[in-house]
Amino acid sequence: MKRPVVPAPSLEPVKKTAGRMRSDLTRSRMLQAAKTAVAVAIAWKLAPYLPGVADNYPYYAPLGAIVAMYPTLMGSMKNAAQTIGSLAVAIVLAGAVIIFSSPSVITTSLAVGVGALIAATGWFGANREYIPVTVLFVLIIGGPDADSYSIGYLEQATLGIVVGLLVNLLIFPALTHNAVDQQLANFRAVLSSHLAEIAEALAESWPPEKDGWASGKDSLMAVSGQVREAVLLADESRKANPRARRYRRDLKADYDDLAALENVTFHVRDITDVLTGAVWGIPIKVQLRPELRPALSAALAAVATALSSWDSVEERHEAHDRATEALAALTAELDANKDTANATTMGASAAISMDIARILAALNTRLEQAEQLDEAASNEAS
C-alpha cells in the first residue's frame, strides 16, 4: 500500500482559540475589578449614613462590598448569604460568652473553637473562616462595647453586601456563554492535534523519532477539566441573570458536546497507550504489524480532520464521512490480514480500530442531534 501523506499537526487553531480566551478573560477580569472598585466606593460613601452605632464602623461596608463581588450573580448571592450567616453565627457565639460569662482566655478560646467546628461543617462555604475570626473580633476588639460593635459590624457588612449585589446586577452581570464555545473549540483542536501527531508518527520510519505525542495525553485531562469548569460556570452565570433572557443558549447541547469529547478523550488516551506499548513496551508490550501502519495512520489523520472541521457546518459532515471511509479501509486491511497473523500481532491494530470506531460513534451521535436541532429550528421558522 502506498504510504499516506499525513499533514504535520498544526497548533494554530489551539493558539488562536487560546488567544481569544485570554483576551476575553482579561476583559472579564478588568470589568469585574472596575465593578468591585465602584461597589467599594459607593459602600464607603453610604456607610456614615447608617443610624445608631453603625456609623462608628464604616470600614466594614467596603469589606462587605468586596465579599459580594463574585463572577456570577448566583455565586454572589450564595456568597453573600453565607457571609451574613457566618457573621450572625459568630455574633451569637460571642454574645453567649458575654451573657453567660465574661471574655477571658478560656472563654474566648472556647468560643473560637466552637466557631471553628461550625466552620468545618462546610455549611458556609468559602466564608466559613469568618466565624472564628469574627468571634475573636467581637470579644477582643469590641471589648466592653461588644454589643454595639456586633450590631455595627453586621449592619455595615450587610450594607456593603447589598451594594455589591446591586452593582453586580446592574452593571453588565457576567454571562459566560462565549467562553464555552471557545473552550469546546480548544478541546477539539487539542484532540485533533494529538491524533494528527500520532498519525504522523505512524507514517514515519519505525520506531518514530518524535515522541511528543506519548506525553501529550496527560494534558488532555487538564483541558477536559477546564472545559467542564467553563460549562458549569456558564450554567451558573445564567441563573438569576436578566441578560440570560435576551441571550439564550442551549446548555444541554454544551453538556452533550462535553460528554462526547470526554468520551473521545478516553479513547484517544487508549490509542496513545497502545502505541507507546508498541514502541517502548509500556504500559503493556504489544506488537504492531508494519503493513497495517499506513491504514492506521490514514484513519487517525481522518479523525483528526473530522475534529478540526467540526466548527464548520459545511465541512463537518464531509470530514466525518471521510473518517468513516478511512475506518472502513482500516477494517478491510485487518480482515485481509487476519488469516496470516496471530492474535498477538493483530491485537494492537484491532484495539486502535475499535477506539476509532467508538470516537466516530460519539461524534456521529452529536451530528445527528445537531441535525435534529437544525431541522426543528427550520420548521419553527417556517
Side-chain angles (χ1 to χ4, degrees), residues 333-362:
E333 284 280 332
L334 291 171
D335 290 340
N337 285 273
K338 67 181 180 181
D339 295 331
T340 61
N342 57 48
T344 302
T345 58
M346 293 293 288
S349 301
I352 294 174
S353 174
M354 182 59 68
D355 280 321
I356 293 174
R358 288 172 174 167
I359 289 172
L360 291 178

Side-chain angles (χ1 to χ4, degrees), residues 129-151:
E129 299 304 328
Y130 279 112
I131 299 175
V133 171
T134 302
V135 170
L136 208 58
F137 278 11
V138 171
L139 294 177
I140 294 178
I141 299 177
D145 298 322
D147 52 348
S148 61
Y149 176 84
S150 300
I151 295 171

Side-chain angles (χ1 to χ4, degrees), residues 74-131:
M74 182 57 67
S76 292
M77 289 188 287
K78 182 179 180 181
N79 205 46
Q82 289 174 337
T83 300
I84 294 174
S86 65
L87 294 179
V89 169
I91 290 171
V92 168
L93 288 174
V97 171
I98 295 170
I99 293 171
F100 298 107
S101 181
S102 61
S104 65
V105 173
I106 295 176
T107 56
T108 299
S109 299
L110 182 61
V112 168
V114 173
L117 283 176
I118 296 174
T121 62
W123 296 337
F124 299 94
N127 301 295
R128 58 186 179 272
E129 299 304 328
Y130 279 112
I131 299 175

Side-chain angles (χ1 to χ4, degrees), residues 44-55:
W44 180 249
K45 286 292 185 181
L46 293 178
Y49 295 100
L50 283 183
V53 297
D55 63 345

Side-chain angles (χ1 to χ4, degrees), residues 186-223:
N186 182 61
F187 198 0
R188 285 188 285 267
V190 169
L191 288 168
S192 173
S193 177
H194 185 82
L195 286 174
E197 285 189 73
I198 296 177
E200 184 182 30
L202 283 167
E204 292 178 346
S205 58
W206 195 261
E209 296 179 2
K210 298 179 180 179
D211 60 359
W213 54 272
S215 59
K217 75 182 182 73
D218 295 330
S219 65
L220 297 179
M221 296 306 296
V223 175

Side-chain angles (χ1 to χ4, degrees), residues 243-263:
R243 295 179 65 209
R245 297 179 181 179
R246 180 178 179 185
Y247 302 100
R248 295 183 180 275
R249 183 182 181 89
D250 183 8
L251 282 170
K252 182 182 181 303
D254 293 327
Y255 279 112
D256 290 340
D257 280 339
L258 174 61
L261 291 177
E262 287 177 337
N263 192 5

Side-chain angles (χ1 to χ4, degrees), residues 185-309:
N186 182 61
F187 198 0
R188 285 188 285 267
V190 169
L191 288 168
S192 173
S193 177
H194 185 82
L195 286 174
E197 285 189 73
I198 296 177
E200 184 182 30
L202 283 167
E204 292 178 346
S205 58
W206 195 261
E209 296 179 2
K210 298 179 180 179
D211 60 359
W213 54 272
S215 59
K217 75 182 182 73
D218 295 330
S219 65
L220 297 179
M221 296 306 296
V223 175
S224 175
Q226 292 170 4
V227 178
R228 176 164 287 278
E229 184 179 341
V231 175
L232 291 173
L233 185 62
D235 197 0
E236 184 181 272
S237 73
R238 69 186 177 88
K239 295 175 181 177
N241 193 330
R243 295 179 65 209
R245 297 179 181 179
R246 180 178 179 185
Y247 302 100
R248 295 183 180 275
R249 183 182 181 89
D250 183 8
L251 282 170
K252 182 182 181 303
D254 293 327
Y255 279 112
D256 290 340
D257 280 339
L258 174 61
L261 291 177
E262 287 177 337
N263 192 5
V264 170
T265 301
F266 173 83
H267 296 298
V268 170
R269 286 169 59 86
D270 189 57
I271 290 170
T272 307
D273 284 340
V274 171
L275 289 176
T276 55
V279 179
W280 297 290
I282 52 175
I284 301 174
K285 186 176 182 179
V286 296
Q287 297 181 30
L288 189 65
R289 292 178 63 85
E291 63 270 24
L292 293 175
R293 290 203 303 268
L296 287 168
S297 177
L300 290 170
V303 174
T305 302
L307 284 165
S308 63
S309 303

